[in-house]
Each structure stands twice: as C-alpha cells, then as structure tokens.
Amino acid sequence: EAGVTQFPSHSVIEKGQTVTLRCDPISGHDNLYWYRRVMGKEIKFLLHFVKESKQDESGMPNNRFLAERTGGTYSTLKVQPAELEDSGVYFCASSQDWLNEQFFGPGTRLTVL
Amino acid sequence: GNSVTQMEGPVTLSEEAFLTINCTYTATGYPSLFWYVQYPGEGLQLLLKATKADDKGSNKGFEATYRKETTSFHLEKGSVQVSDSAVYFCALSSYSGGYNKLIFGAGTRLAVHP
C-alpha cells in the first residue's frame, strides 16, 4: 500500500511568486492534515480536513495560504504571494479516523528567495 | 495553551552508548504522547506512543514512560546504533471538538558514530 506522497519534494521560488504544494493521502483516509516546520523549529499544525471539509484551520498563518481538498482525495496548499518567512518544510499527514495514527509524507522543502 | 519542550541538539554519541532525550509538556486534560522519528530523506514515522499516565511506549529498543506528575515523556535507549541517527520529535495530541491535531517539540538531532 502506498504511503502519503507529496509533490514537489523541493521548491525554490522568488518572493512574491505563487507556489502550490500537493499531498496525496493514503487511499481511504478521510482525515488529512498539513503541518510545517520553519527554521528548524517545532513542527506546527496548519489545518485539518475531514473528507473535503475543513474541520480546523486554526493554524493557518494568514490569508496568503489557501488549502483545498476537492472531492476529498488529494489536497493542495497554495501560497500566494510567497514571503521569505514562508520558507520551511511542509508536511502532510493522513489518518483513517481522528483516533488513529497519523501517517506522514516526506515533506516539501520550500525556499523563498 | 498546550506545548512541548524537548532538549536541544545535536546529541552526539558513540555506538552502544546510552541515550536519553528529554521531553516535557504542558497540556490541559489528558493528552496522548508520542515520539516521532525522521530519518534522513524520509518522512516522520511514529516511533512509540503512550495514551495515559504511567503507560510505557516501546519500539525498536526505545522506551518512554508517560509521567503525569513531572509532565515528562523522556526517550531512552540502552545501546544506540549508527542507524539510529535521525531527528526525534516529541509530540502530544490535542483533542478539539473530537478532532485531533499534534503539537510537536522542536526536534532533537541524534548523530551516532561508530
């Protein structure tokens, strides 16, 4: 069974540009989470989907970030326009239900120059 | 609010040395506690967990005990190997309205030398 996959693995963009990160959860997992680790600090929660609905987006830093999960399958996280402080590693995780273990993808390393 | 504090790294050890990575937490209620590991080039993997006070989680020779009185969940291994070199994250689950999100510490990099 395939694990959580994320694309791209690395992205380098200029300040002001737009970047879209993609996450494919484990098949059948209704719960999908986004986290990020900035500057080698703690990994912080961004938001949580159940199927296509946003259940908790309390961690989204500002309105430059837009997450979607159309059809309840894969999810995208768009940053527009990107700022220097958005650099970091963005992790996606999925779980079968909220009580079960979250399985993480390898992350996307975003560098904003 | 809920938070996790873990010892700063890097931790550098020789093979077969004893490992302790300290983790303390602040939380309301009764969170579950976790250790995740990230090997080079890979995603986070759950290493072990404990869901209530005095529970001991264990896996691959690693152990951690949920100590409510000291709000701690220290990771230990009796004899580390080079293959244990990775970044280790302590985390707790924060249940909100029936849904779960993880709160992580900053991570501790472990380097084990032959």
Side-chain angles (χ1 to χ4, degrees), chain A residues 33-51:
Chain A
Y33 305 81
W34 283 99
Y35 295 84
R36 74 172 180 177
R37 188 182 190 209
V38 173
M39 296 283 290
K41 296 186 183 298
E42 66 272 19
I43 300 170
K44 288 194 173 181
F45 167 84
L46 296 178
L47 86 160
H48 172 204
F49 284 99
V50 177
K51 297 185 180 179

Side-chain angles (χ1 to χ4, degrees), chain B residues 46-108:
Chain B
L46 178 64
L47 181 59
L48 52 83
K49 68 178 181 182
T51 57
K52 60 183 186 295
D54 299 324
D55 267 3
K56 178 185 283 188
S58 61
N59 186 25
K60 299 182 180 179
F62 291 89
E63 293 183 339
T65 301
Y66 189 143
R67 301 286 188 200
K68 190 166 176 62
E69 64 276 14
T70 54
T71 62
S72 65
F73 193 55
H74 304 321
L75 182 68
E76 296 182 335
K77 187 175 185 183
S79 176
V80 293
Q81 305 300 312
V82 173
S83 57
D84 294 326
S85 297
V87 182
Y88 292 81
F89 294 90
C90 185
L92 64 82
S93 62
S94 172
Y95 297 100
S96 174
Y99 297 100
N100 184 15
K101 64 184 180 186
L102 295 171
I103 295 172
F104 288 87
T108 302

Side-chain angles (χ1 to χ4, degrees), chain A:
Chain A
E1 180 182 324
V4 177
T5 57
Q6 293 186 244
F7 182 83
S9 56
H10 293 86
S11 180
V12 181
I13 61 172
E14 299 281 336
K15 174 183 172 181
Q17 289 185 322
T18 297
V19 64
T20 299
L21 313 181
R22 173 170 169 145
C23 168
D24 286 78
I26 293 172
S27 177
H29 282 195
D30 287 340
N31 292 265
L32 187 148
Y33 305 81
W34 283 99
Y35 295 84
R36 74 172 180 177
R37 188 182 190 209
V38 173
M39 296 283 290
K41 296 186 183 298
E42 66 272 19
I43 300 170
K44 288 194 173 181
F45 167 84
L46 296 178
L47 86 160
H48 172 204
F49 284 99
V50 177
K51 297 185 180 179
E52 67 275 8
S53 299
K54 293 176 186 176
Q55 293 300 320
D56 182 353
E57 50 185 329
S58 61
M60 294 289 265
N62 51 61
N63 59 11
R64 296 185 293 103
F65 289 75
L66 175 64
E68 295 181 320
R69 193 183 182 195
T70 306
T73 54
Y74 70 91
S75 174
T76 58
L77 180 63
K78 179 189 287 188
V79 185
Q80 179 181 28
E83 299 290 343
L84 299 179
E85 63 265 25
D86 300 333
S87 295
V89 180
Y90 290 76
F91 292 101
C92 176
S94 72
S95 67
Q96 195 164 27
D97 59 56
W98 70 279
L99 285 173
N100 282 320
E101 175 186 350
Q102 295 181 26
F103 293 87
F104 282 78
T108 293
R109 180 174 295 278
L110 174 64
T111 302
V112 182
L113 302 175

